[in-house]
Amino acid sequence: GEREQINNKIISGSINSQSQNNYQYEDTNFEYDVTYYYWLADISLDGEVKFHGPRAVEVSSAPTTYSLDQNYPNPFNPSTTIKFGLKEEGHVRLNIYNIRGQLVRQLMNTQKPAGSYTLEWNGWDRNGNILPSGTYLYSIRVNDFTYTRKMAFMK
């Protein structure tokens, strides 16, 4: 479709920056199960406009159940992706345990709205040390839902 300007505010940037900068915008006017494309307009001091993008964003409807998907790849090296879904808002705890049940890393401990989420884990413990190869458990706890799965880390 046509481009539509959705924000009239100027976002403060980094003038003459040699380093990468990240910008964020929250669009609250959307429909579920639609893909939106966003561009960022870069306006230089001399008035030149340069567009960056598009960035595709798919807005999926909230899950109807809680879920914790199998990580992928599995076995993994150097990192793995963990997906989970929340049918309603809740305090999410997502932890990694060794095969003895000892906590090695907490990936999430925060309030989250209903929706689908993706996390990446790099095989490091909470002290920043790479863990040995082996079987690990990852567990989610939110509201009245608790679920645990196995994964294998191969160095």
Side-chain angles (χ1 to χ4, degrees):
E2 305 250 343
R3 287 186 187 166
E4 178 182 335
Q5 184 173 340
I6 58 174
N7 184 10
N8 291 324
K9 290 191 230 173
I10 298 290
I11 301 169
S12 296
S14 298
I15 299 172
N16 296 329
S17 175
Q18 295 288 330
S19 59
Q20 179 179 343
N21 294 284
N22 294 309
Y23 301 95
Q24 195 170 354
Y25 176 76
E26 184 175 335
D27 189 353
T28 57
N29 185 20
F30 62 87
E31 294 178 32
Y32 286 111
D33 300 318
V34 174
T35 300
Y36 292 91
Y37 298 90
Y38 293 89
W39 286 263
L40 179 66
D42 177 1
I43 306 170
S44 67
L45 293 175
D46 64 4
E48 180 184 344
V49 178
K50 185 179 187 183
F51 285 96
H52 303 275
R55 292 283 189 186
V57 176
E58 184 175 341
V59 182
S60 300
S61 56
T64 57
T65 61
Y66 292 110
S67 64
L68 178 63
D69 294 354
Q70 184 63 51
N71 68 301
Y72 66 88
N74 189 29
F76 71 95
N77 179 6
S79 65
T80 191
T81 299
I82 299 170
K83 289 185 175 186
F84 63 94
L86 306 179
K87 71 176 181 177
E88 56 193 23
E89 181 178 350
H91 190 91
V92 178
R93 288 181 184 86
L94 185 61
N95 295 321
I96 309 290
Y97 300 92
N98 64 21
I99 199 68
R100 293 188 216 139
Q102 299 165 317
L103 178 67
V104 295
R105 180 79 185 265
Q106 185 167 71
L107 296 181
M108 184 174 285
N109 183 15
T110 190
Q111 191 78 11
K112 287 288 191 186
S116 298
Y117 297 91
T118 302
L119 289 174
E120 191 169 307
W121 181 50
N122 58 7
W124 293 24
D125 69 11
R126 62 182 165 219
N127 298 317
N129 301 311
I130 191 80
L131 290 166
S133 294
T135 301
Y136 292 88
L137 306 171
Y138 60 107
S139 180
I140 190 170
R141 177 176 290 169
V142 57
N143 299 336
D144 60 348
F145 178 75
T146 302
Y147 199 78
T148 302
R149 288 187 176 269
K150 286 184 191 178
M151 63 181 153
F153 180 41
M154 306 288 281
K155 288 205 285 187

